[in-house]
Amino acid sequence: MRNWTLGALVAALGLSGAGPAHAYKIFVSNERGNDITVLDGTSFEVVDTFAVGQRPRGIAVSPDGAKLFVCASDDDTIQVYSTADYKFLGTLPSGPDPELLVVSPDGTRLYAANEDDNLVTVIDLTTGARVVEIPVGVEPEGMGISPDGQTIVNTSETTNMAHFIDRDSKQIVANVLVDSRPRFAQYKADGSEVWVSAEIGGTVAVIDAASKAIKHTVTFEVPGLRSESIQPVGVRITEDGSKAYVALGPANRVAVVDGTTYEVLDYLLVGQRVWQLAFSPDGKHLFTTNGISNDISVIDVENDEVTQSVQVGQQPWGVAVADVPATTN
Amino acid sequence: MTRSATASSRGRAGWLAGAALLLLGTGALAQNGTAPATPAPQAAAPAPGAPAAQLIRIGFLRSYERRLALSALDIAPESIGLAGAQVAIADNNTTGAFMNQRFELEAVTLKPGDDVSAPARAMIEAGVHYIVTDLSAADTLTVADLAAPAGALVLNAGASDDRLREVDCRANLLHTAPSRSMLTDAIAQFLMWKQWRDWALISGEHENDRLFAEAMKKSAEKFGGAIVAEKVFADAGGARATDSGQAQVQRQIPVFLQDLPEHDVVLVADESEVFGTYIPYNNWVPRLVAGTAGLTAGSWHPASEQWGGAQIQNRFEEAAGRRMQSKDMNAWAAVRVVGEAASRTQSADPAMIDAFVKGPDFTLAAFRGQRLTFRPWNWQMRQPILLGTQAAVVSASPQEGFLHQVSELDTLGIDQPESTCAFPG
C-alpha cells in the first residue's frame, strides 16, 4: 500500500511538471481513515494524503480556494487547512458534532449543522468567532446557501424540514416539510430553486426559492432495485441549471435529472454507497464519494459517462474542489 | 417531565432564547423569544396573538419490576422503554415547535400482576387517544379492547407474542415491537447465509421460552435449517447469582450438552433467564451460540451507530444516562409514529392522524437504513432486525438474497398469505 501511494505520488509529480501550470485539486474526506486524500484535477491521481481530526465528514473550500474547512465530527470542531501545503491553520468553534457546512459566497461566514444539539452555528470567518446558534429541527444536517448569500437552508433529518434562515436577522423565515430524512440542500446558480434530497423518503423536493412552495417532487426508479435501497443524498446542479445530479446512496448510482422538466434522464453506475458530489471548477467533471468501495468516481458531465474510479482512503464521505495549482513546485 | 426532557435535549436553552425567532409557530415553544435583538435568558411568553399550540397527549402504560438476570448486565433498567418514549416526545416537540403542536407523555408504571384495566380506563376516559404499552400479551389485549369503543389506538412496544399479530390481532392495536417470529427469522436467515445449517435447540420450560423455541423451529423450516436435536433445560429454581460463581456452571453445562449430535450452532430459547447466558463457551464441543444468548436479535442494539444511529444514541444517552436498548427503540418508534403523522397531516385531529398512520403513505425513519412501514393486514411494523453480541452489532436481517415480491422486510415474521389475523368488519 505504501509503495503504491509513493508510486502514485511520483507519477503525479512527474505529470504536473509536464502538464498545464494551472490546475485544481480535489479533496476527499475519509470518515474512517481520519484523513484527507488530495487528487490532482488534471490526472485524477492521488497526490497526497494528510491526517486530520477524528471522523472527518463535511468539507468545503473557501471561495478564494486557499482554505479547506473540515468538519471533524468526533472532535466537535471545524478544522482549517491550507489547500496549498495542507498545513493546519486552526480550528473554528463549530459546536458539537459538526457534519456539513457551507461558506458564504463572499467568504465571510461559515454555517455548520450540529446534529446532536439541533442547532445551526454561524461563524464569522474574519474573526473566527461564533456569531450565533440558531435552533432548528431534530438532527440538522444539510446546509445550502443562496448565490447572493442572503438565505441559508438547513435540513433536519428527524423533523423532516428544510429551514430557511435569513442571513441578517438570523431568523428562520420559513419551514418546508419534505420527505423522510432530508440530507442535502442545493440552490440553483440563478437562485430560483432549492433542491432538497430525502434519503429515506427516496425523493428530491424542488422548492421555489421565492414562494417556498414545493414545485415538484422527483422520484427515482431503477429496474431490479427495490425502492427502499434508493436513498438520495448529495445533489449538485450545473451552472446553467440544465441538469442536476443526485447521489442515490446504496443504489450505487447517480441520477441525472433534467433541470427544467425534472425528468430523470439517466442513472450512472458508480461505486458503492455514493453520498456526496462536487463539480470541477470548469463544470466538466463531477466527482462522487463511494463510502463502501473506498473510491471516487469521475463523471464526464457533457456525456454523462463514468470515465474512471480512483481509490482514496477508508470510507470516503465528503468531496470539495479547490481552484488552486495542483503542486507548489 | 416532558418539558424538562425537551429543554435538556436542546442544551443551552436559556442562552438560545434570544438568539432566534421562529417566524412560523412562534407560540409553540416558550423558549423561542420574540425579540431576537435582545437576549432574554428567561422563557419568553408566546407572541401576542399567536394561536396556542395544539396538544397531543400520549399515554404510556407499562409493567416493570426489577428482575434478576444471570448476568447483572442483563438486568433491565428502571427506565427501560420509558426513556425511549421520553426522547421521542422531546423529538416530537422540537418538530412541533415549527408546526404549532405540542406532545405530552402520561406514563403509568404498574407491577407485574397489577390490574391494568383501571389505569387504562382512566387514560381513555381522560381523552388520551394514543396509548403506548409495554405489557404482557394478555394485558396488551385488555388495554386494546378497553380502548376500542373510544376509537383509541394502542401501540404495542413490549410484547413480542405472535398471537397478538395473528389469532388475537385487533384493528386498533399496532406493533412497533417486532414479533418473536421476526426475531427468530432474522437469526435463521443469518445462519443460513453463513451456511451453518445444523442447529441444536435448547429450550427453557417456561411459556415464553417454549414460544421462542416454537418460533425458532418454524424459522428453521422456512429457511431450510435443520434442528438436529432438542433438549429442555429444567428450571430447578435457586438463585440467579451465588458466591460459588462459575465453578459449577463450567462443570455442569458441558455434561448437559455432551449427548448432542453433530451440529453447527446451539440455539438457546431462554427468555426466562434460567440458563441461556451459561451456554456460550461452556459447550461440550466448540460451537457458536445464538437465540436469546450468544448472538441475539432485536429492534436495536446499544452499540448501533450506523445509519445515523450515532445521533439517536447520543441524545438518548444524554437524556437517560445509559445506552439505548431495543425496548427503548420500540417505545421511541411508537411515540414517533404519532408525531410523524401529526406533522405530515399538519393536524392534531386523531381522525386525521389515525387515517394517515393506517394509510399507504405512512413511513418512519428509525436509524436502520430504510423506511419502516406497517403491514396493513395485522399492523405489525416492518423493520430490519439487528443481530449482535453483548458488545457489538454483527449483522442486520433481512440478509442479502432473501427476496420478496412486496418488501424484503416481509421475509421476517409471518407473512400475509400465512397470516391468521382477521380484523372484524
Side-chain angles (χ1 to χ4, degrees):
Chain A
M1 187 66 195
R2 179 182 289 173
N3 285 341
W4 182 86
T5 310
L6 195 63
L9 185 64
V10 170
L13 288 172
L15 259 177
S16 70
H22 182 80
Y24 61 95
K25 290 179 182 177
I26 307 156
F27 294 90
V28 176
S29 62
N30 302 305
E31 182 185 10
R32 194 180 182 87
N34 291 341
D35 51 22
I36 304 281
T37 304
V38 189
L39 297 96
D40 178 316
T42 309
S43 66
F44 304 133
E45 293 203 39
V46 175
V47 293
D48 214 332
T49 298
F50 60 97
V52 293
Q54 294 185 72
R55 203 171 174 215
R57 291 193 282 175
I59 58 175
V61 169
S62 57
D64 65 3
K67 289 175 182 168
L68 179 73
F69 302 100
V70 179
C71 289
S73 298
D74 283 357
D75 286 339
D76 297 334
T77 59
I78 293 172
Q79 299 183 319
V80 189
Y81 293 87
S82 160
T83 56
D85 56 12
Y86 323 130
K87 278 204 179 100
F88 174 67
L89 301 177
T91 62
L92 294 170
S94 71
D97 196 21
E99 178 159 356
L100 273 172
L101 56 81
V102 286
V103 180
S104 63
D106 64 4
T108 61
R109 284 185 182 190
L110 184 150
Y111 304 88
N114 302 124
E115 278 206 300
D116 277 359
D117 269 15
N118 304 342
L119 297 171
V120 166
T121 299
V122 185
I123 296 165
D124 183 337
L125 286 176
T126 58
T127 64
R130 177 161 49 199
V131 178
V132 73
E133 289 176 328
I134 301 163
V136 291
V138 182
E139 292 171 42
E141 163 129 352
M143 298 294 305
I145 190 161
S146 61
D148 63 3
Q150 191 59 43
T151 307
I152 298 90
V153 178
N154 162 256
T155 66
S156 51
E157 291 177 319
T158 291
T159 291
N160 301 324
M161 283 181 185
H163 307 283
F164 286 71
I165 300 166
D166 179 65
R167 176 185 63 183
D168 301 326
S169 67
K170 303 166 195 81
Q171 296 169 7
I172 293 178
V173 294
N175 299 295
V176 179
L177 197 61
V178 295
D179 284 337
S180 277
R181 217 168 163 76
R183 290 287 301 262
F184 202 83
Q186 178 67 43
Y187 268 89
K188 268 190 177 170
D190 65 5
S192 63
E193 293 172 354
V194 190
W195 292 42
V196 175
S197 63
E199 182 182 23
I200 295 293
T203 61
V204 171
V206 179
I207 301 170
D208 183 84
S211 70
K212 314 289 188 288
I214 296 178
K215 292 167 72 171
H216 189 85
T217 301
V218 185
T219 56
F220 305 93
E221 207 171 315
V222 181
L225 280 188
R226 60 205 168 86
S227 69
E228 297 96 279
S229 72
I230 298 176
Q231 302 184 349
V233 180
V235 180
R236 294 291 174 184
I237 305 170
T238 54
E239 188 69 21
D240 64 4
S242 65
K243 282 194 291 189
Y245 294 84
V246 182
L248 298 181
N252 305 335
R253 282 162 178 83
V254 170
V256 188
V257 183
D258 188 298
T260 317
T261 65
Y262 313 122
E263 185 191 346
V264 181
L265 304 172
D266 205 353
Y267 295 98
L268 310 177
L269 192 61
V270 292
Q272 292 178 340
R273 204 226 63 196
V274 54
W275 266 1
Q276 298 296 343
L277 309 170
F279 281 116
S280 59
D282 60 11
K284 288 182 177 166
H285 294 98
L286 182 75
F287 309 105
T288 77
T289 53
N290 312 320
I292 292 181
S293 47
N294 293 338
D295 57 3
I296 65 165
S297 299
V298 181
I299 293 170
D300 172 345
V301 172
E302 193 189 342
N303 300 309
D304 288 329
E305 274 175 22
V306 180
T307 54
Q308 70 184 97
S309 63
V310 184
Q311 286 289 308
V312 290
Q314 285 185 65
Q315 300 192 1
W317 199 99
V319 55
V321 167
D323 198 0
V324 291
T327 50
T328 48
N329 51 343
Chain B
M1 175 169 61
T2 58
R3 281 180 173 277
S4 67
T6 306
S8 71
S9 78
R10 282 181 170 253
R12 292 136 288 175
W15 186 86
L16 289 172
L21 168 66
L22 308 171
L23 284 193
L24 301 186
T26 38
L29 260 196
Q31 69 253 44
N32 293 315
T34 54
T38 318
Q42 298 307 314
Q54 293 181 289
L55 178 65
I56 297 166
R57 295 156 71 199
I58 300 175
F60 190 92
L61 250 178
R62 67 169 190 151
S63 144
Y64 176 83
E65 188 174 52
R66 189 181 145 88
R67 208 183 72 162
L68 288 175
L70 295 174
S71 161
L73 297 183
D74 290 332
I75 296 173
E78 202 275 332
S79 65
I80 188 78
L82 180 61
Q86 288 167 336
V87 169
I89 287 282
D91 286 352
N92 284 357
N93 276 329
T94 303
T95 302
F98 303 109
M99 308 295 302
N100 208 26
Q101 293 171 341
R102 195 160 58 83
F103 296 81
E104 272 183 14
L105 190 70
E106 299 175 20
V108 174
T109 301
L110 309 169
K111 279 195 162 41
D114 284 0
D115 169 49
V116 75
S117 305
R121 266 196 207 98
M123 267 186 193
I124 295 156
E125 280 163 16
V128 174
H129 186 80
Y130 302 100
I131 302 177
V132 178
T133 57
D134 175 14
L135 297 166
S136 68
D139 283 350
T140 305
L141 271 187
T142 301
V143 176
D145 290 341
L146 286 170
L153 283 193
V154 176
L155 297 118
N156 166 27
S160 61
D161 303 66
D162 281 278
R163 73 176 172 105
L164 296 181
R165 290 86 171 158
E166 295 301 318
V167 287
D168 292 328
C169 69
R170 297 290 188 272
N172 68 327
L173 177 59
L174 295 87
H175 311 272
T176 55
S179 65
R180 266 192 200 92
S181 62
M182 291 166 71
L183 302 177
T184 57
D185 281 354
I187 292 170
Q189 283 191 6
F190 176 74
L191 297 181
M192 293 310 291
W193 189 89
K194 298 292 293 182
Q195 304 198 27
W196 298 332
R197 299 160 189 275
D198 293 338
W199 309 336
L201 177 60
I202 314 297
S203 168
E205 58 181 353
H206 298 285
E207 190 199 350
N208 285 356
D209 310 332
R210 289 182 182 281
L211 289 171
F212 192 94
E214 282 309 310
M216 205 67 250
K217 283 196 270 190
K218 281 184 188 150
S219 299
E221 197 178 334
K222 184 171 170 184
F223 297 110
I227 306 281
V228 295
E230 284 182 63
K231 287 193 89 165
V232 173
F233 193 103
D235 185 357
R240 289 284 190 278
T242 60
D243 282 346
S244 54
Q246 321 306 333
Q248 284 197 330
V249 169
Q250 190 173 336
R251 285 166 188 271
Q252 291 170 358
I253 297 291
V255 175
F256 176 68
L257 298 176
Q258 186 180 359
D259 61 353
L260 290 176
E262 184 50 43
H263 58 282
D264 297 315
V265 178
V266 177
L267 293 177
V268 172
D270 176 38
E271 292 189 4
S272 309
E273 282 283 325
V274 171
F275 69 97
T277 304
Y278 294 153
I279 301 296
Y281 298 101
N282 284 314
N283 341 26
W284 183 258
V285 286
R287 294 292 179 271
L288 293 168
V289 178
T292 61
L295 187 79
T296 60
S299 62
W300 193 239
H301 192 286
S304 182
E305 297 203 308
Q306 217 188 327
W307 304 302
Q311 279 77 251
I312 181 77
Q313 296 276 22
N314 286 346
R315 66 179 183 275
F316 183 91
E317 195 163 9
E318 194 180 327
R322 61 178 178 80
R323 301 291 287 185
M324 191 178 196
Q325 303 186 19
S326 285
K327 198 172 272 184
D328 299 311
M329 172 50 82
N330 300 343
W332 182 88
V335 171
R336 282 287 302 128
V337 163
V338 180
E340 180 71 12
S343 74
R344 291 290 164 201
T345 56
Q346 307 190 28
S347 171
D349 175 2
M352 298 271 287
I353 294 175
D354 296 1
F356 187 79
V357 167
K358 291 183 164 186
D361 296 328
F362 182 82
T363 68
L364 188 71
F367 314 99
R368 271 174 281 170
Q370 58 178 295
R371 51 183 174 262
L372 311 189
T373 57
F374 282 108
R375 293 173 179 154
W377 68 86
N378 67 358
W379 301 128
Q380 169 66 53
M381 181 170 264
R382 295 183 175 100
Q383 53 193 300
I385 298 295
L386 303 185
L387 303 172
T389 63
Q390 179 103 35
V393 178
V394 172
S395 184
S397 287
Q399 297 293 320
E400 215 178 311
F402 290 89
L403 304 176
H404 192 277
Q405 65 276 19
V406 177
S407 162
E408 280 162 29
L409 293 176
D410 283 346
T411 63
L412 302 178
I414 295 166
D415 197 5
Q416 187 165 18
E418 290 80 43
S419 177
T420 52
C421 172
F423 295 131

